[in-house]
Amino acid sequence: MRQRKSVEWTRLDNASKIFPATCGNKDTKVFRLACELYEAVDAEILQEALNITMDYFPFYKSILRKGVFWYYFQTSDLHPVVERESDPVCAPIYLDDRKNLLFRVSYYHSRINVEIFHALSDGTGALWFMKTLVYHYIRLRHKEAFADQIPEFKPNASISEKMDDSFGRYFEGRDLDILKLMDNPNKVKLVRTYHVRGTRLDENRVKVIEGSMSVKAALGLAHKYNVTLTVFIAALFIYALHKERPVRTKNDPVVLSVPINLRNFFESETTRNFFSTMNIGYAFGQESSDFQDVIQGVSGDFQKELTAESLNQRLNQLMSIEKNLLTRIIPLPFKDYSLRFASKIADRGITAAVTNIGQILLPEEFKRYIRQFSLCSSARMPHISICSYNDRLSVSFSSPFQETEIQRTFFEFLSEKGIDIEITSNL
Amino acid sequence: MQYCSHCQVRIRGNKKDCPLCGNILPGDNGACGQQEIYPVVPPFYERHLALRIMIFVSVVALVVSFMVYALFPSTINWPVFALFGLISMWLSLIIVIKKRHHITKNIMWQVTILSFLSVVWDWGTGWRGWSLDFVVPILFVSAMFVLYVTAKIMKLRARDYITYFLLDGLLGIIPVIFLLFDWIHVLYPSVISVAISIIFLSAILIFQGENIKAELAKRMHI
């Protein structure tokens, strides 16, 4: 008799739960990490590197399945296959009932793409996967160059640390009462925020316009205003959104959703989701629309939101909703509907989004092989994703609309300040 | 690399116009020898054409049937039958299409929906009892065989079909209610269905008990 292997499965962590319910053709909840090299990608070596990488990331073999009450991850023995890029950027990955991996690896000329369904991992988690993949690719591709000494690259966590559900570890969420939450006096009143309108692209594609520039130059500009790069880009984005909007909406506040990497606040090495979001806004109705003032306002918001206290409170709330008995016993299809509804409501308070996954570090010796990294994502609203490698800062602007006024204003502002920008666009 | 003098940015790839301002770029198009950065993905035109044809044919059939009935009236209102026939067909077809990636789930959905439809049709046409006498028990029993054969042919793993086996085994026992409440005129199909289901259920519980337990723990976790 064959030996029975017990079926391995895992629950979705708190942040992942929203993604299967709300993904669709309009917003696939897929994001892409790309690494551009100086030479064409060798598909066979990339496949070899991917096979090695998979051993370090067993969780990436998961497929997503539907239970009666919740979705769950189930381990599979599927092997990811490297393909030449042939789909639109951030094409759907998770489709109901289809048993496929939740990420794909492709290449095009000299670029390696890793596209990931957000339920599997957040940007930081995916970046570790990407770095491991690129490390092994370059190590294999340039064996002769590294004949004497292979540059060191340590996995930064054990396998079990990588698979950790850090939400469950840090947030109990039991002491909060849902009913009390409902009439919380501190709750922010929902005001009408500005929403970008435009002509949707055919087949719900995403328009990615990526500007790459020198990190030093961009940082220099941000420091002139005495703020960090994230604050500067967020403020400039708000400014560009404001400048291009129709007059009748001029008084509505512009609000950005900004993800926070919780690994910076709570000790965790998970490659799964461990992030939260905050809303950064600027009330144009009441304040001046001078760029200097916008930057001050945004900077203040960042400082206010980014405290362990406010994070703790928010996450415990989310956790208590998840752990509530009533939420748990609602069958999955109803959960899907309520989550979709809740996310629509939340979207009303948001104009656009900004993500910064920061500086990407790889061994020094790799600098002559890697041109730049970039990050972009599917977009139900305009979304800016930032990352940097070496002295290359990549600012990717994803949008579901044909119009490019906001992008133009955004990049023109930078080029007028004397920053040399290289624009890449997918459409 | 091309340069847009309006936006003051350099542009990578073979672009005819600036992605930001839309102005035509001065560069000698095509001859600038730049490599494409992104592949050109052609649009997916013919999507769902077959489905659209079927919807159109359904509409035409319905309109024609009502038209003929209006011109040549008869004692039976058969266009209404055509309408309900089409509704039944589409109900079943939509499930087939929506669940096409999960074959065992699909079979169970079909069994449920066809049993339901047969009872509705039977009731709507004067309740002669053929649905409970024949259709429902025969559907349950044949689903067991279809599930088993599919699982074998497609080399499915126990975890992919075991809960559906269990579900169908449980459904197959339902005709015992028909027997107890004396709702039926013909005994054979229901008796056979109940008997086979009990044997089938005992077989999977005895041989695949742990698998079922593991599957249920996974699917029912709250």
Side-chain angles (χ1 to χ4, degrees):
Chain A
M1 201 171 139
R2 266 180 308 166
Q3 207 192 340
R4 279 205 195 106
K5 210 178 127 199
S6 70
V7 180
E8 286 176 28
W9 63 278
T10 4
R11 293 160 182 263
L12 271 68
D13 51 70
N14 186 283
S16 300
K17 290 195 150 103
I18 187 85
F19 298 115
T22 53
C23 76
N25 282 334
K26 275 191 181 168
D27 184 13
T28 59
K29 303 290 179 194
V30 173
F31 63 93
R32 169 190 280 206
L33 270 164
C35 171
E36 213 180 318
L37 308 171
Y38 282 112
E39 58 192 0
V41 174
D42 183 314
E44 268 171 44
I45 296 179
L46 184 60
Q47 181 67 56
E48 209 180 314
L50 178 59
N51 295 344
I52 298 170
T53 309
M54 286 312 285
D55 294 339
Y56 290 96
F57 294 85
F59 191 66
Y60 275 58
K61 286 204 165 183
S62 305
I63 57 175
L64 189 61
R65 313 241 55 205
K66 275 176 167 177
V68 176
F69 301 104
W70 296 105
Y71 290 89
Y72 56 87
F73 292 117
Q74 181 176 295
T75 47
S76 75
D77 21 282
L78 298 168
H79 294 289
V81 179
V82 164
E83 276 169 9
R84 190 171 189 270
E85 185 178 350
S86 62
D87 287 322
V89 175
C90 297
I93 289 181
Y94 171 70
L95 298 154
D96 247 11
D97 289 333
R98 211 178 288 190
K99 289 173 199 155
N100 55 353
L101 292 174
L102 300 172
F103 72 102
R104 66 168 89 89
V105 176
S106 63
Y107 64 95
Y108 190 72
H109 293 315
S110 55
R111 182 161 38 84
I112 300 170
N113 309 312
V114 175
E115 288 182 317
I116 294 182
F117 182 56
H118 214 322
L120 186 69
S121 167
D122 60 10
T124 314
L127 183 60
W128 285 339
F129 181 84
M130 182 71 171
K131 274 161 69 173
T132 313
L133 177 69
V134 170
Y135 169 79
H136 286 291
Y137 174 78
I138 292 183
R139 184 181 63 82
L140 291 166
R141 181 77 179 76
H142 297 282
K143 267 188 190 140
E144 358 40 87
F146 302 121
D148 316 330
Q149 205 199 347
I150 301 170
E152 204 184 352
F153 181 77
K154 276 187 290 191
N156 49 359
S158 70
I159 302 272
S160 62
E161 277 176 310
K162 284 187 224 165
M163 290 176 72
D164 183 46
D165 173 2
S166 301
F167 283 100
R169 178 193 295 263
Y170 287 108
F171 309 108
E172 194 180 20
R174 243 179 241 152
D175 43 346
L176 281 154
D177 188 1
I178 286 222
L179 289 174
K180 239 187 249 163
L181 265 176
M182 298 277 192
D183 47 38
N184 180 1
N186 304 328
K187 202 167 62 178
V188 189
K189 233 173 79 186
L190 278 178
V191 276
R192 206 170 77 140
T193 49
Y194 169 56
H195 278 242
V196 183
R197 311 239 171 258
T199 324
R200 282 194 162 271
L201 291 155
D202 289 345
E203 304 182 335
N204 296 311
R205 290 196 189 183
V206 183
K207 183 171 237 160
V208 181
I209 296 184
E210 180 195 305
S212 61
M213 60 203 90
S214 154
V215 176
K216 271 190 212 114
L219 264 180
L221 192 54
H223 289 166
K224 249 186 222 167
Y225 291 95
N226 281 324
V227 287
T228 62
L229 193 62
T230 315
V231 173
F232 175 73
I233 300 238
L236 178 53
F237 191 17
I238 289 180
Y239 180 71
L241 283 160
H242 174 67
K243 228 183 141 193
E244 292 305 324
R245 65 172 155 169
V247 165
R248 66 190 156 74
T249 65
K250 282 278 189 216
N251 288 330
D252 299 345
V254 175
V255 179
L256 297 184
S257 156
V258 185
I260 309 163
N261 180 9
L262 293 174
R263 295 171 189 84
N264 298 338
F265 296 86
F266 304 93
E267 197 183 316
S268 163
E269 301 291 337
T270 185
T271 58
R272 295 170 60 178
N273 277 309
F274 196 39
F275 74 99
S276 176
T277 55
M278 58 180 175
N279 286 352
I280 299 293
Y282 190 74
F284 280 99
Q286 297 135 34
E287 323 246 356
S288 91
S289 50
D290 192 52
F291 183 61
Q292 188 72 45
D293 292 327
V294 176
I295 247 183
Q296 289 311 324
V298 170
S299 176
D301 257 20
F302 263 88
Q303 272 160 17
K304 202 170 62 199
E305 294 284 332
L306 273 179
T307 57
E309 216 174 301
S310 79
L311 282 176
N312 244 321
Q313 197 200 349
R314 186 174 146 69
L315 287 158
N316 266 318
Q317 279 183 7
L318 285 174
M319 209 61 182
S320 71
I321 294 172
E322 179 192 324
K323 293 289 173 213
N324 182 278
L325 186 68
L326 187 74
T327 342
R328 277 155 59 191
I329 58 168
I330 297 173
L332 188 65
F334 297 105
K335 273 196 189 105
D336 278 352
Y337 282 116
S338 11
L339 279 174
R340 257 172 250 164
F341 183 69
S343 110
K344 280 234 170 81
I345 300 275
D347 273 0
R348 274 199 209 154
I350 300 165
T351 312
V354 173
T355 309
N356 187 359
I357 58 164
Q359 197 186 5
I360 297 168
L361 295 168
L362 274 169
E364 278 291 303
E365 298 90 321
F366 284 7
K367 276 184 185 163
R368 58 191 159 122
Y369 304 115
I370 302 170
R371 192 176 194 274
Q372 67 178 62
F373 276 88
S374 59
L375 169 73
C376 67
S377 77
S378 74
R380 62 190 186 285
M381 54 180 75
H383 190 157
I384 284 184
S385 315
I386 313 161
C387 69
S388 68
Y389 172 74
N390 208 3
D391 191 35
R392 226 60 216 136
L393 172 73
S394 137
V395 179
S396 264
F397 201 122
S398 341
S399 158
F401 306 119
Q402 251 162 23
E403 292 78 5
T404 54
E405 273 76 23
I406 302 162
Q407 289 94 318
R408 184 172 51 77
T409 318
F410 182 88
F411 288 115
E412 262 179 11
F413 183 95
L414 292 171
S415 66
E416 272 165 21
K417 298 273 176 201
I419 293 182
D420 184 27
I421 300 176
E422 259 178 31
I423 295 285
T424 318
S425 165
N426 70 329
L427 293 173
Chain B
M1 209 175 292
Q2 308 222 62
Y3 185 78
C4 173
S5 45
H6 178 264
C7 306
Q8 299 174 36
V9 292
R10 286 180 293 143
I11 291 148
R12 300 181 67 197
N14 268 323
K15 295 279 175 200
K16 286 190 188 69
D17 39 31
C18 172
L20 293 178
C21 63
N23 286 321
I24 309 292
L25 292 169
D28 200 4
N29 294 324
C32 56
Q34 279 253 351
Q35 204 170 46
E36 274 306 341
I37 309 292
Y38 285 93
V40 178
V41 185
F44 196 65
Y45 283 124
E46 306 270 299
R47 193 164 8 195
H48 308 321
L49 188 62
L51 208 60
R52 283 174 198 197
I53 293 173
M54 278 186 70
I55 295 172
F56 181 66
V57 169
S58 309
V59 171
V60 171
L62 213 58
V63 172
V64 169
S65 73
F66 273 99
M67 187 186 75
V68 171
Y69 181 66
L71 296 178
F72 310 100
S74 64
T75 46
I76 308 166
N77 189 351
W78 56 266
V80 173
F81 280 86
L83 176 68
F84 285 112
L86 282 170
I87 292 176
S88 309
M89 181 202 81
W90 278 105
L91 259 178
S92 181
L93 192 69
I94 286 166
I95 299 290
V96 170
I97 293 169
K98 279 191 88 166
K99 305 280 169 200
R100 66 187 180 283
H101 299 294
H102 197 326
I103 182 102
T104 39
K105 202 189 228 179
N106 205 332
I107 293 169
M108 283 317 296
W109 267 98
Q110 288 303 319
V111 169
T112 322
I113 205 134
L114 291 179
S115 316
F116 170 75
L117 283 175
S118 73
V119 173
V120 172
W121 272 94
D122 194 5
W123 174 76
T125 53
W127 198 246
R128 266 166 286 181
W130 51 265
S131 58
L132 294 190
D133 278 350
F134 298 103
V135 182
V136 175
I138 288 173
L139 268 174
F140 291 157
V141 173
S142 40
M144 269 173 235
F145 289 102
V146 174
L147 274 175
Y148 183 78
V149 173
T150 330
K152 285 296 151 201
I153 290 177
M154 300 196 55
K155 299 200 171 80
L156 295 182
R157 292 209 266 157
R159 67 181 184 203
D160 293 325
Y161 61 75
I162 202 79
T163 30
Y164 300 98
F165 268 28
L166 184 71
L167 205 60
D168 191 38
L170 292 173
L171 283 181
I173 298 179
I174 290 178
V176 94
I177 301 171
F178 309 163
L179 291 167
L180 287 177
F181 287 91
D182 219 11
W183 287 345
I184 46 177
H185 321 293
V186 187
L187 286 181
Y188 296 101
S190 295
V191 171
I192 292 171
S193 167
V194 173
I196 290 186
S197 298
I198 293 174
I199 293 170
F200 188 74
L201 269 183
S202 67
I204 52 172
L205 286 174
I206 291 165
F207 295 109
Q208 297 279 350
E210 289 127 65
N211 261 335
I212 288 181
K213 234 171 110 184
E215 272 303 307
L216 288 184
K218 190 173 78 177
R219 282 170 202 245
M220 306 286 286
H221 81 274
I222 51 175

